[in-house]
Amino acid sequence: MLDRLKIILSPAEDLIQNEIQHPITGQKLELAYFLPLIDEQKIHAFITVPFSKNEYPFMNLLKSNPNFTKVTDPATWTDLLLRGQALIEFQDQIFSFDAMKFSYTDLSEAKLETSILGPQNSLSEDPIISLNIIRNAYVSPELVIDKMNVGNLSRTGLYIIYDQRKVNKHTLDLVMNKLASVHLDLIQSTGQLERLLNGKKYQLFPTLLITERIDRIGRALSFGKVVLVLKGSQYAIILPVTFFDFMHAVEDHYESIWMTKLLIFLRYVALFITSTLPGLYVAILSYNPEVFRLQLTFSLVASRSIVPYPSFIEVIIMLLMIEMLLESSIRIPKLIGSTSTTVGGLILGSAIQQAGLVSSVMIIVTSLVAISNFVLPIHTMSLAIRFLKYPIIVFAIFFGLAGVFLGLFVYIISLCSTRSFGEYYFRYRGDVSTKKGDIGGTGTA
Amino acid sequence: MKRRLMLSFVASILLAGALLSGCGFKDIDKRYFVVGMGIDKGENEEKPYRITLKLGVPSVQIDAGKSKTQVETIEAVSIAEGVRMLKSHVDKEIDFGHCKTILLGESFAQDSIVEAVTWMSRRRDIQNIAAIGIGSPNAEDVIRVQPDVERFPGNTLNLFFSEDATESSFTFIELLTDLTRRIYEKGLDPYLPVITVQSEDNTYVINRVALLNKEKVVTVLEPKETQLLSQLTAHTTHSQFGSYRSDPFVISVNGIKIHYKIKKSDTAPKVEMKIKQSVTFEEMPINSYYSNPEGTVAQLEQAYTEDVLKLLQKIQKAGVDPYGFGLRYRARFHLPNFDEEWPDIYSRMEFDVKTKVEVRGTGLLR
């Protein structure tokens, strides 16, 4: 049976295939199961222990216990294995044993990417539990799980998961090479791994997607992407990705189509606002006040007339404040967490305006920038976008409105030149294959 | 090495930007926004321009009548020099970015507007959507008026010339782009609205239009004629065509379509104009339409035709061409010496106007 299974199934690290021979009776037992999918306690209690004790004829046990079912058709083997059954071959007869395990109850709630209608749980720090839910979400014999250890000292277990038929072999090779070339003593989180795999040292945008959501992982696998699960981290890495994957929330597939389309549009608006608004504020206030209506101009003048410093100092004061506020609300112990937002957001905000350090319009700009930044669904991308506004402010200080768009232009060029594991980062659809000889192409040839 | 090169490149760009950024970094509260400008003829022979700038003073309170402005006047040799000298009269940078209304004095416009218009189109911060008008009796008096209920500095005049607020069939809006085009295009002459002040309550009246040849004002139309010209040029893009009167009816024009052809002829070139309009009645004696619909329509058509003919002939006699017959003629027929031949052709031109009135409703349910 085991030989045939090797032919049918893709090589999976988590497929356990055992051949046990009883030392006294000389009887042989072949056993196969997917480790993450079954409860090992049950295997021990019902199969390996009775077999080794041999107090009762094992064949009788197989035939009398209703948990064991005789399997006659080899075509059902993979299906049974994938549904959490263990296969046993004893005396040329094959039985299946139901040892199914769902690990959903062991999971913690998703914190970074919350969703209303989607699954509420994140992956687990225990990779076996993570693999369990991945296997349960993506039930396919084509799913391959490779294991390797990363980190010279830590030898942290890393599972490389992909759909054998759909994955791009070239990408897979690149990932494997890259992982083999990782030399670091300790690897403790997927974020660290992300930076190691990210390609260039000074990469502006994330080229890997870090996620904790099982539905996102399942979807990625079905598109032929590679998923990395690190032992001790409840975040998995998906690669290769495009920029537009980062703009997509899992919820987009669950809710009303028109509202979803509007929300996607809204995310791009938020992206524009959060990266350019402070720059636009400087540019409009100090270079091109004629772009808006007279009424707005006069209220801007009125609100700014008490501010002693030039507009960019005002912007920098406010942005530094909001960054500190965000940073402190992550670092602060959870018990006193709400204090910092209250103090920072409400009291400081109104006091700083009354003191005449910043104008009231600037308060609106700052909060809009902060809010629209959180509209972006993926944490790593929203962090990267959070940085983008600063270079644009510098451009705006020197070149005004033209500078803001010069900055945007630079970012778009940078996006276009980025590759995520050999695939174009800024392409809109995933199904564009590069042809051999394309300019800048990364085809396998 | 490559990185150092890159860094020095970026640094040099930023440095160049700091040095070359032209008008430069100037905060919005360090600028004075010009909300209205007037150009008049100076009294002094050596200083032919009298320039009036209305500067908006921002205030936190926004309410009717709370608008504050500061008006500065200077006489200078040229407009550019006058504006530069005015800068030494105020404490902040003068910015024309929000100057939506520029008025030319009546006597100034009777001399020549070309120099003033070229100055406007050359200046970077005067927008091409600024509206140009003629201040009567002079620009300074109109600019100096501070309407009692104005909310924002200079807003009242701006609203007259924008399509957001009032849409009157008597008010022509002439923007700087169109004015420059009309000055330089052969066969199309500029017009400018005339703004007067009602002194008793500090408000503006804009119901006449001045017709110019390429250089100066030739004639000023009466309000009734102004409205008719507005209908003919379909100047108002919205459905605001105004009305006309033919006793005992006052009808409101809801839509108007005009087609015309120019027939070339050595003796009398002819403009065949077909006007098709859809109307509703605004005033009429009860049942007078239904007793004789055909007769009423014929009466209206004839009345309108006569009015149009009279207006076209008046414009023709003045020797200006705001309608653009010359442009059409140039497009249709070969005319190498347009400048020399056209005035003669235009003065011999005959008009043949046909009006078709389509009654959309009487305004009442029966």
Side-chain angles (χ1 to χ4, degrees):
Chain A
M1 177 187 81
L2 295 182
D3 295 335
R4 275 185 79 169
L5 271 180
K6 273 190 188 114
I7 300 167
I8 303 168
L9 285 171
S10 49
E13 190 68 34
D14 59 341
L15 178 68
I16 306 292
Q17 295 169 316
N18 281 338
E19 210 180 307
I20 315 168
Q21 193 161 22
H22 198 278
I24 300 160
T25 58
Q27 283 176 324
K28 253 178 147 183
L29 175 79
E30 286 185 5
L31 182 61
Y33 54 87
F34 278 116
L35 179 66
L37 284 180
I38 54 99
D39 188 352
E40 274 196 298
Q41 293 293 328
K42 271 189 180 171
I43 298 279
H44 285 304
F46 286 88
I47 302 169
T48 42
V49 173
F51 178 71
S52 55
K53 280 188 179 166
N54 205 16
E55 291 165 345
Y56 184 71
F58 193 64
M59 198 59 189
N60 290 354
L61 178 76
L62 291 179
K63 283 185 173 156
S64 58
N65 192 327
N67 276 338
F68 294 97
T69 323
K70 194 165 179 324
V71 181
T72 47
D73 184 7
T76 58
W77 288 359
T78 49
D79 199 44
L80 287 168
L81 282 174
L82 287 169
R83 297 197 190 288
Q85 313 274 323
L87 287 186
I88 305 147
E89 182 174 356
F90 187 66
Q91 291 173 353
D92 294 334
Q93 292 192 49
I94 293 173
F95 294 88
S96 74
F97 171 66
D98 185 6
M100 184 93 177
K101 181 180 75 172
F102 284 117
S103 301
Y104 294 108
T105 46
D106 306 340
L107 301 173
S108 59
E109 212 166 287
K111 289 198 186 81
L112 273 186
E113 290 178 68
T114 47
S115 124
I116 299 171
L117 296 181
Q120 298 296 319
N121 296 324
S122 73
L123 291 181
S124 166
E125 293 186 358
D126 180 351
I128 299 300
I129 296 179
S130 295
L131 292 183
N132 172 284
I133 52 175
I134 291 174
R135 274 260 184 229
N136 274 318
Y138 196 75
V139 186
S140 160
E142 304 294 339
L143 192 70
V144 180
I145 300 184
D146 280 347
K147 192 185 175 203
M148 70 190 292
N149 295 317
V150 288
N152 294 340
L153 257 178
S154 61
R155 310 297 297 157
T156 318
L158 175 72
Y159 296 88
I160 303 150
I161 307 163
Y162 53 90
D163 186 306
Q164 182 176 239
R165 210 157 37 168
K166 290 177 177 163
V167 75
N168 180 344
K169 294 286 184 305
H170 176 61
T171 311
L172 195 63
D173 286 347
L174 273 176
V175 176
M176 291 302 189
N177 285 340
K178 200 93 191 199
L179 283 171
S181 68
V182 166
H183 289 298
L184 203 72
D185 284 347
L186 288 173
I187 291 185
Q188 289 156 320
S189 97
T190 29
Q192 203 178 3
L193 198 62
E194 189 217 359
R195 267 174 69 171
L196 291 171
L197 293 179
N198 218 343
K200 291 180 204 151
K201 197 176 171 192
Y202 298 104
Q203 189 82 35
L204 202 53
F205 298 96
T207 52
L208 314 159
L209 200 155
I210 292 194
T211 185
E212 55 177 352
R213 296 196 61 85
I214 181 62
D215 42 357
R216 194 184 277 280
I217 291 173
R219 207 178 136 73
L221 285 173
S222 74
F223 285 129
K225 301 195 171 179
V226 180
V227 175
L228 305 179
V229 172
L230 190 76
K231 187 175 161 193
S233 168
Q234 55 175 323
Y235 300 102
I237 292 179
I238 295 174
L239 56 90
V241 283
T242 68
F243 179 77
F244 303 98
D245 291 339
F246 287 96
M247 288 289 138
H248 153 100
V250 281
E251 206 119 89
D252 292 353
H253 299 286
Y254 305 150
E255 289 179 350
S256 146
I257 179 159
W258 290 112
M259 195 59 210
T260 303
K261 296 231 182 271
L262 182 69
L263 285 176
I264 292 174
F265 171 73
L266 210 68
R267 272 180 221 137
Y268 287 96
V269 174
L271 175 69
F272 181 78
I273 287 178
T274 192
S275 50
T276 58
L277 199 61
L280 282 177
Y281 181 80
V282 172
I284 284 168
L285 248 72
S286 304
Y287 280 93
N288 308 85
E290 62 269 13
V291 288
F292 285 135
R293 297 231 156 173
L294 187 65
Q295 282 88 329
L296 187 61
T297 309
F298 277 122
S299 51
L300 277 176
V301 175
S303 79
R304 241 201 76 81
S305 49
I306 47 165
V307 181
Y309 296 112
S311 58
F312 63 92
I313 296 208
E314 186 188 354
V315 169
I316 288 167
I317 289 176
M318 268 325 268
L319 288 183
L320 281 184
M321 207 189 89
I322 199 91
E323 296 293 357
M324 282 181 202
L325 205 72
L326 290 177
E327 187 62 15
S328 71
S329 57
I330 298 173
R331 306 285 161 235
I332 210 163
K334 290 249 154 46
L335 289 174
I336 44 176
S338 60
T339 337
S340 88
T341 21
T342 320
V343 171
L346 297 175
I347 302 174
L348 250 165
S350 63
I352 203 166
Q353 193 241 326
Q354 275 168 15
L357 268 177
V358 301
S359 68
S360 47
V361 179
M362 188 59 220
I363 305 269
I364 302 173
V365 168
T366 322
S367 19
L368 200 59
V369 164
I371 291 169
S372 51
N373 194 32
F374 294 124
V375 172
L376 305 179
I378 306 281
H379 176 70
T380 46
M381 183 49 100
S382 93
L383 266 184
I385 299 288
R386 223 163 102 188
F387 174 74
L388 294 189
K389 55 181 176 275
Y390 295 101
I392 284 196
I393 292 174
V394 174
F395 276 118
I397 291 171
F398 289 104
F399 304 108
L401 208 53
V404 174
F405 292 98
L406 180 70
L408 278 184
F409 184 60
V410 168
Y411 290 147
I412 289 174
I413 291 176
S414 153
L415 276 172
C416 290
S417 73
T418 305
R419 301 282 181 273
S420 168
F421 287 88
E423 294 197 15
Y424 298 111
Y425 187 56
F426 205 47
R427 69 180 194 280
Y428 186 61
R429 285 279 174 209
D431 48 6
V432 180
S433 62
T434 56
K435 296 282 181 296
K436 192 175 158 187
D438 269 3
I439 292 177
T442 52
T444 40
Chain B
M1 193 59 213
K2 201 179 153 200
R3 242 179 75 201
R4 186 172 293 177
L5 209 71
M6 190 74 183
L7 277 178
S8 57
F9 178 67
V10 170
S12 59
I13 280 190
L14 289 182
L15 196 71
L19 295 175
L20 302 175
S21 52
C23 59
F25 190 93
K26 190 138 291 180
D27 274 323
I28 198 166
D29 51 324
K30 307 290 186 298
R31 297 180 193 230
Y32 248 140
F33 289 97
V34 180
V35 291
M37 181 185 186
I39 304 173
D40 281 307
K41 217 153 91 170
E43 283 151 23
N44 192 332
E45 273 291 304
E46 283 169 13
K47 294 180 173 175
Y49 295 100
R50 185 176 171 82
I51 293 155
T52 315
L53 294 187
K54 190 185 217 178
L55 305 168
V57 179
S59 69
V60 184
Q61 278 184 321
I62 292 160
D63 209 347
K66 285 278 164 58
S67 140
K68 281 184 213 146
T69 52
Q70 180 183 343
V71 180
E72 294 286 337
T73 306
I74 199 168
E75 294 208 345
V77 184
S78 72
I79 304 175
E81 198 181 303
V83 170
R84 192 159 305 117
M85 281 174 76
L86 265 182
K87 274 192 186 184
S88 63
H89 293 211
V90 292
D91 59 337
K92 292 169 197 155
E93 177 77 12
I94 290 179
D95 191 316
F96 283 91
H98 277 294
C99 185
K100 292 273 183 60
T101 330
I102 300 173
L103 300 186
L104 309 171
E106 200 168 18
S107 54
F108 179 84
Q110 274 157 1
D111 271 4
S112 170
I113 63 160
V114 179
E115 227 170 299
V117 173
T118 38
W119 174 79
M120 288 173 215
S121 38
R122 270 181 221 284
R123 220 187 132 96
R124 181 196 71 88
D125 52 352
I126 291 186
Q127 300 197 18
N128 269 336
I129 53 163
I132 319 290
I134 290 179
S136 171
N138 62 52
E140 189 186 341
D141 287 353
V142 180
I143 289 289
R144 272 191 188 277
V145 165
Q146 178 67 53
D148 294 338
V149 290
E150 196 172 61
R151 281 169 190 268
F152 281 99
N155 202 27
T156 313
L157 259 188
N158 282 347
L159 288 182
F160 264 110
F161 291 122
S162 80
E163 283 169 4
D164 303 338
T166 175
E167 286 178 48
S168 165
S169 53
F170 293 96
T171 307
F172 269 78
I173 301 171
E174 182 66 341
L175 305 182
L176 184 54
T177 50
D178 192 48
L179 183 63
T180 21
R181 170 170 163 250
R182 280 170 182 271
I183 286 177
Y184 291 109
E185 184 76 271
K186 286 178 186 172
L188 185 66
D189 286 343
Y191 49 65
L192 288 173
V194 177
I195 297 127
T196 47
V197 177
Q198 273 182 315
S199 50
E200 57 267 26
D201 60 348
N202 279 343
T203 51
Y204 306 102
V205 179
I206 310 172
N207 60 6
R208 288 182 301 154
V209 66
L211 302 181
L212 294 85
N213 61 13
K214 298 285 179 203
E215 204 181 333
K216 57 178 191 264
V217 174
V218 175
T219 179
V220 177
L221 297 185
E222 288 308 305
K224 198 185 154 198
E225 293 165 333
T226 303
Q227 179 177 247
L228 196 59
L229 185 65
S230 167
Q231 284 166 10
L232 282 188
T233 50
H235 179 87
T236 37
T237 47
H238 299 275
S239 54
Q240 198 54 251
F241 291 103
S243 58
Y244 67 91
R245 193 180 164 80
S246 159
D247 282 328
F249 304 103
V250 175
I251 67 170
S252 131
V253 182
N254 293 341
I256 192 161
K257 271 184 190 164
I258 295 167
H259 295 284
Y260 71 91
K261 267 187 207 157
I262 300 183
K263 290 258 165 84
K264 196 180 178 181
S265 153
D266 287 338
T267 50
K270 203 171 186 185
V271 173
E272 284 177 4
M273 190 181 259
K274 280 179 191 158
I275 302 172
K276 198 176 164 189
Q277 50 182 349
S278 59
V279 302
T280 52
F281 290 92
E282 284 193 325
E283 282 177 28
M284 69 168 178
I286 290 175
N287 281 344
S288 57
Y289 173 70
Y290 288 105
S291 57
N292 181 12
E294 290 84 12
T296 312
V297 166
Q299 181 200 340
L300 293 174
E301 283 173 349
Q302 207 201 336
Y304 198 76
T305 305
E306 276 169 16
D307 282 353
V308 170
L309 260 181
K310 225 182 278 169
L311 177 69
L312 288 177
Q313 277 157 1
K314 181 177 178 180
I315 295 173
Q316 183 190 26
K317 210 170 281 171
V320 289
D321 188 7
Y323 201 78
F325 291 123
L327 193 61
R328 176 71 70 91
Y329 197 90
R330 272 176 72 209
R332 294 276 285 109
F333 309 110
H334 183 59
L335 197 62
N337 293 322
F338 181 83
D339 289 336
E340 287 152 30
E341 293 179 34
W342 172 248
D344 184 42
I345 297 173
Y346 187 43
S347 62
R348 281 186 284 117
M349 209 164 241
E350 280 176 7
F351 298 100
D352 176 19
V353 180
K354 284 198 182 89
T355 312
K356 190 165 184 294
V357 167
E358 196 178 292
V359 178
R360 275 285 160 81
T362 54
L364 289 176
L365 289 177
R366 222 158 63 110

